[in-house]
Amino acid sequence: MAEDQAAEQRSAVVDEQRSLRRGDNPVVRAVGRLPAGVHVKLLVGFVATAVLVVVVALMGLRLLGQANDRAESLGALQSRAAAYGRLQEDALHLQLLLSENKSAGSLATNGGKGREVRSGREAIVIDQAAADTAARIAPATLAANLGFTPPAEDESVLRRIRAKSARLSTVMRQILASDPRAATIERQLQPRQSAVELGLDVEQLASDLADSTTAKTDDLIAQGASSYTSSRNLFVGVAVGAVALALLLGFVLSWSLIVPIQRIDERLAAIASGDFSRHVEVPNRDELGALAANLNRMNDELGRLYEELATVSRHKSEFLANMSHELRTPLNAIIGFSQVLRQNLFGEINQKQAEYLDDILSSGNHLLSLINDVLDLSKVEAGQVELEVATFSLRESLERGVVMVRERATKRGVRISLELAPDVDLVDGDERRLRQVVFNLLSNAVKFTPTGGNIGVASSRVNGEVLVSVTDTGPGIAPEDHERIFEEFQQTEVGLEQRDGTGLGLALSKRLVELHGGRIWVESEPGQGSRFVFALPTDGRSDHGG
């Protein structure tokens, strides 16, 4: 048990040191000293967190917008590249057709005399195909046929393609309009050479246009990939930074509130235990700081009142002890002389005088018992009672207590029984004080048990404690009075009706049992009788059986 308590204390000290370290953080202290209320600080924290979330959201929207713009630009470039690719294919096809007839004409010139470039319909078909292709290229460069509006740099190239393809169409019409059978090879070679050169120009322009657009598309794709990586890293960095700032803000704000509350709670616990020697240090300039200041003022006021009450209680105890001592001297004389007179030592007395002397003796003994209780209680409260601890027989003490009240119980028609455990006999304690506790409990039981009732005295050993119980069949005690009857000058309604005693017996019994390190309590219900129990620690002694 001691080790557990020590461990709990060490844990509490470590927690307190940890909380103090967090509270001593300069950022936490700075937030705490801000001249603003707790609700304002919380509101600022919530707003700052919301702003960070909005910043992250706006960053995400911006990056999504940039990605969408790149996708649209890439789509437009891909459309242009596809259209320019088809234009390039037509130009290349045209160049192949023109080169085929031109090659045939060159061979004829080198190998024969006055021979035609091509005979028959074969040459006409090739020329017609070339003319149709040339006629198709010029319209294909218009925006209406391309499906998009080309940029200015592309438009200039397209104009040149249209111009050269138009001239090529004119040359091809001239070639087709001539009579191939009448024309000499030399006369056809010149327009065909011009057509080939124009076809090369068209093919070169279309290739340059398609290649440049494809290169732009590839550049945009590479740029998009690089931009995606950098945007992703930027977004992740901003998001992580926002989360870190939010956590830092939450940590600082929460500990600027939690640490003062922990310190106030620790000071309240110390005040509850009777420690008024320290103040709580809370530098906050908000409601918590005001609460700590009020707590310090309350601490000082309670300390002052506690000192005054301690002084008054000490004076009261000293007064009661002195008065009780002064009252016992003449009261003992009254009782002694009354006993002498009652025993007829100085002459005979009549019946009436005997009755008066009996009343004087009864009242004197009762008053002496009350004075003794007041004196004993005052000594206990003043710390002047020192227990004479020794090993004694609890069994014999309980039997003597029963003997002391048996006569009075018999007169009231109350039966007393003993039920003592065989393993409970020798215990350590102040025998006279514990016998006083047993006598008080038995006296109360006899006083409140009606005629024909029963009182049981029992002892037992449970969980390392010796239990002694006194059970009666009296009127019982309400649950709300179970604690109150152990206070000074407190009695139940039944006790007040008895008009006997001042309510000091149970209070004194409680103090004496607690001086032994034990405890006392009552188990009772109205109309069900009462069971008073006190427990004494045995310090592990289990070999005292008698």
Side-chain angles (χ1 to χ4, degrees):
M1 182 66 69
E3 293 179 356
D4 294 342
Q5 292 178 352
E8 291 178 358
Q9 292 177 355
R10 287 194 297 269
S11 178
V13 170
V14 171
D15 292 341
E16 180 178 1
Q17 292 175 350
R18 185 181 298 114
S19 66
L20 290 177
R21 286 197 298 270
R22 289 167 177 164
D24 290 337
N25 186 290
V27 179
V28 174
R29 289 201 308 270
V31 173
R33 290 193 179 99
L34 291 176
V38 173
H39 66 287
V40 174
K41 294 178 181 178
L42 291 175
L43 181 61
V44 170
F46 293 149
V47 170
T49 303
V51 169
L52 291 175
V53 172
V54 170
V55 168
V56 173
L58 292 177
M59 176 67 68
L61 290 176
R62 179 173 176 272
L63 295 179
L64 287 175
Q66 291 177 348
N68 185 62
D69 293 341
R70 285 194 297 269
E72 290 180 355
S73 299
L74 181 60
L77 277 176
Q78 289 175 338
S79 298
R80 287 162 54 190
Y84 296 159
R86 290 190 297 270
L87 187 62
Q88 182 184 17
E89 291 176 357
D90 290 341
L92 182 59
H93 180 62
L94 173 62
Q95 179 60 28
L96 291 175
L97 292 175
L98 294 175
S99 298
E100 186 174 355
N101 270 348
K102 178 179 179 297
S103 299
S106 297
L107 289 173
T109 302
N110 295 328
K113 295 181 179 179
R115 205 163 64 98
E116 296 178 351
V117 176
R118 279 189 182 271
S119 62
R121 298 184 56 85
E122 183 179 358
I124 297 175
V125 170
I126 293 175
D127 290 338
Q128 186 63 50
D132 294 340
T133 302
R136 193 168 58 247
I137 289 176
T141 60
L142 298 176
N145 295 323
L146 289 172
F148 57 86
T149 300
E153 62 272 16
D154 291 353
E155 180 61 33
S156 62
V157 177
L158 292 172
R159 282 198 300 268
R160 293 174 62 190
I161 292 175
R162 281 197 298 272
K164 289 184 178 294
S165 61
R167 290 172 56 191
L168 178 58
S169 296
T170 302
V171 172
M172 291 307 300
R173 283 196 299 272
Q174 293 175 358
I175 293 174
L176 288 172
S178 65
D179 185 1
R181 290 173 298 179
T184 64
I185 294 175
E186 290 78 4
R187 292 181 59 187
Q188 287 194 1
L189 283 178
Q190 184 177 0
R192 289 185 182 279
Q193 181 66 32
S194 177
V196 169
E197 292 176 356
L198 290 173
L200 286 173
D201 292 341
V202 170
E203 190 271 336
Q204 185 64 43
L205 291 172
S207 297
D208 293 343
L209 187 61
D211 292 343
S212 64
T213 305
T214 301
K216 290 179 181 178
T217 302
D218 294 338
D219 291 342
L220 185 59
I221 291 175
Q223 181 183 359
S226 176
S227 179
Y228 167 77
T229 302
S230 60
S231 299
R232 180 195 61 194
N233 295 337
L234 177 62
F235 180 77
V236 171
V238 171
V240 171
V243 172
L245 288 176
L247 291 177
L248 178 62
L249 179 62
F251 173 83
V252 172
L253 186 59
S254 61
W255 278 109
S256 70
L257 304 178
I258 292 174
V259 171
I261 293 175
Q262 289 178 337
R263 292 177 175 175
I264 291 173
D265 179 69
E266 293 167 0
R267 185 85 282 273
L268 285 173
I271 291 175
S273 64
D275 179 13
F276 307 102
S277 60
R278 295 183 293 117
H279 281 175
V280 60
E281 299 297 333
V282 176
N284 289 37
R285 299 172 63 183
D286 50 24
E287 291 85 349
L288 294 176
L291 178 62
N294 291 331
L295 178 62
N296 290 332
R297 284 195 292 270
M298 183 190 73
N299 176 82
D300 296 339
E301 184 65 17
L302 287 177
R304 184 184 65 80
L305 294 176
Y306 184 81
E307 291 294 332
E308 292 182 0
L309 289 175
T311 302
V312 171
S313 178
R314 185 173 64 255
H315 291 166
K316 182 261 297 181
S317 298
E318 293 174 355
F319 171 77
L320 290 176
N322 293 332
M323 289 301 297
S324 299
H325 181 73
E326 295 297 329
L327 288 174
R328 277 202 302 184
T329 301
L331 187 57
N332 285 328
I334 293 172
I335 293 174
F337 287 131
S338 299
Q339 289 175 341
V340 169
L341 293 176
R342 185 67 180 81
Q343 295 172 1
N344 297 325
L345 296 180
F346 295 97
E348 296 292 332
I349 58 175
N350 58 37
Q351 183 66 29
K352 198 65 175 178
Q353 290 172 333
E355 292 178 0
Y356 287 157
L357 287 173
D358 288 339
D359 289 340
I360 293 173
L361 285 172
S362 176
S363 300
N365 286 323
H366 178 62
L367 184 57
L368 181 60
S369 175
L370 294 179
I371 291 174
N372 287 333
D373 287 345
V374 171
L375 181 59
D376 289 340
L377 187 61
S378 300
K379 288 182 178 180
V380 171
E381 290 181 346
Q384 299 176 356
V385 173
E386 294 184 2
L387 299 179
E388 298 179 1
V389 179
T391 301
F392 68 96
S393 174
L394 181 62
R395 179 187 297 271
E396 292 181 3
S397 295
L398 295 177
E399 291 173 347
R400 290 176 185 175
V402 171
V403 170
M404 292 174 65
V405 299
R406 188 181 296 279
E407 182 179 357
R408 183 157 41 122
T410 302
K411 290 181 180 179
R412 294 177 60 90
V414 176
R415 293 182 298 275
I416 301 180
S417 62
L418 275 170
E419 185 179 348
L420 306 179
D423 62 337
V424 177
D425 186 9
L426 299 181
V427 296
D428 293 335
D430 190 325
E431 181 180 6
R432 184 173 69 87
R433 296 299 185 182
L434 291 178
R435 189 183 301 167
Q436 185 177 0
V437 173
V438 173
F439 178 76
N440 287 340
L441 296 180
L442 285 171
S443 298
N444 283 343
V446 171
K447 181 170 62 175
F448 291 107
T449 301
T451 302
N454 297 299
I455 297 175
V457 180
S459 65
S460 61
R461 188 185 299 275
V462 178
N463 296 329
E465 291 181 321
V466 171
L467 303 184
V468 177
S469 63
V470 177
T471 306
D472 62 58
T473 57
I477 302 172
E480 59 270 17
D481 293 329
H482 286 185
E483 297 291 336
R484 189 173 62 86
I485 59 175
F486 291 101
E487 299 175 3
E488 295 89 343
F489 307 105
Q490 296 293 327
Q491 292 178 292
T492 63
E493 294 182 0
V494 177
L496 293 174
E497 293 174 358
Q498 292 281 341
R499 299 176 181 269
D500 184 13
T502 58
L504 292 177
L506 289 177
L508 179 59
S509 298
K510 183 175 185 290
R511 300 295 193 280
L512 294 176
V513 170
E514 290 176 347
L515 283 176
H516 284 80
R519 52 199 176 95
I520 186 171
W521 69 93
V522 62
E523 300 169 357
S524 180
E525 293 288 341
Q528 302 296 323
S530 302
R531 180 174 181 262
F532 284 85
V533 187
F534 68 89
L536 300 175
T538 60
D539 297 329
R541 295 169 62 100
S542 60
D543 56 346
H544 290 164

